[in-house]
Amino acid sequence: MAAAPAIAQTAGSSCGPLHSEGQYGPFDYRTDRDKLPIVLGAHFTPEVEALIRGKTSARPGTDIDYTLRAIPNNHRALMAMMRLGEKEKTPQPVGSRYSVQCWFERAITFRPDDAVVRMIYSTYLGKQGRLPEANTQLELATVHAKDNAFTHYNIGLHYFDLKSYDKALAQAHQAMALGFGQTELRDQLQRVGKWTEPPPAPAPSEVPPAPAPASSAPAVEPAK
């Protein structure tokens, strides 16, 4: 197996280090694609993701735990761990060495710029009734979305779920300005009476006319 990159970050004393001796990873879910199959094939199988059963143990928590230690910002594994906590009605599912909250904290510590992690975390916080924190995560996701129209659109959908309609509208307008054509978010906002069309783009300013050519005066003062 490949040697793990040096990682000095920690996710807080209660959430453990991001790297421990002998661990595979941690790797970035978005960019280290060649490192992921060995983990996904051995631990994060479709049955594990669907919470049907584990791959290396009877219950799925152990395999999702391994997956998130190797790939802390694995979006699908984070969603699976969140759903497992809901299914078992516990903040720390069976087989998981950390709480669901910790897995999100670890993912954000590992890759603070991962907007998708912040959106999923916002969903978790919203379900916990922690709406100010959920909105904060979406605000941070907006910063990291930069000019990605699809990400802005999805942030808008998350804002809509939190009933932050003004912010959802702003994200819908942003996605449209960046050329994104899907209309589901617009339709949802229309149904709750919160949709307004974006302001028209300002017309390009007219280029001022070029100055008139100078008169044919001599370039140098004539000799006296």
Side-chain angles (χ1 to χ4, degrees):
M1 292 186 180
I7 296 288
Q9 301 159 306
T10 60
S13 57
S14 63
C15 295
L18 288 171
H19 175 66
S20 57
E21 189 67 29
Q23 174 188 323
Y24 183 67
F27 298 111
D28 191 325
Y29 184 65
R30 304 164 300 172
T31 58
D32 296 324
R33 306 303 290 184
D34 60 321
K35 306 295 196 306
L36 310 187
I38 192 171
V39 177
L40 304 182
H43 294 278
F44 197 61
T45 61
E47 292 81 7
V48 170
E49 183 174 10
L51 311 183
I52 297 171
R53 57 181 169 270
K55 176 68 173 178
T56 62
S57 60
R59 303 176 75 164
T62 301
D63 289 292
I64 303 173
D65 172 289
Y66 184 95
T67 302
L68 287 173
R69 283 186 288 117
I71 316 165
N73 63 330
N74 185 318
H75 308 149
R76 295 172 66 161
L78 285 167
M79 288 189 288
M81 186 64 83
M82 178 176 69
R83 289 187 290 104
L84 184 60
E86 294 169 355
K87 180 179 179 179
E88 296 182 354
K89 296 181 173 57
T90 177
Q92 185 168 338
V94 174
S96 172
R97 67 189 62 194
Y98 304 119
S99 66
V100 176
Q101 169 84 28
C102 269
W103 291 117
F104 283 112
E105 291 181 10
R106 288 167 60 86
I108 287 172
T109 300
F110 179 60
R111 290 294 183 266
D113 67 335
D114 192 327
V116 177
V117 166
R118 293 188 182 276
M119 281 189 272
I120 303 168
Y121 189 24
S122 174
T123 297
Y124 170 77
L125 293 167
K127 290 181 177 183
Q128 299 293 312
R130 297 157 62 183
L131 298 183
E133 294 171 80
N135 276 284
T136 295
Q137 289 303 319
L138 292 182
E139 290 167 7
L140 292 167
T142 301
V143 173
H144 295 301
K146 299 181 181 178
D147 60 353
N148 188 313
F150 183 68
T151 302
H152 282 288
Y153 181 82
N154 279 310
I155 292 171
L157 290 172
H158 282 263
Y159 269 131
F160 185 90
D161 289 341
L162 294 176
K163 295 183 169 53
S164 296
Y165 298 128
D166 290 344
K167 293 179 178 179
L169 178 65
Q171 291 301 298
H173 288 172
Q174 179 72 8
M176 291 173 64
L178 291 168
F180 195 74
Q182 288 191 21
T183 63
E184 178 187 355
L185 179 54
R186 182 199 67 188
D187 296 342
Q188 290 181 352
L189 287 165
Q190 284 177 335
R191 284 194 289 270
V192 296
K194 298 296 183 180
W195 174 257
T196 60
E197 292 295 328
S205 57
E206 294 184 0
V207 178
S215 64
S216 57
V220 295
E221 185 178 354
K224 296 180 180 179

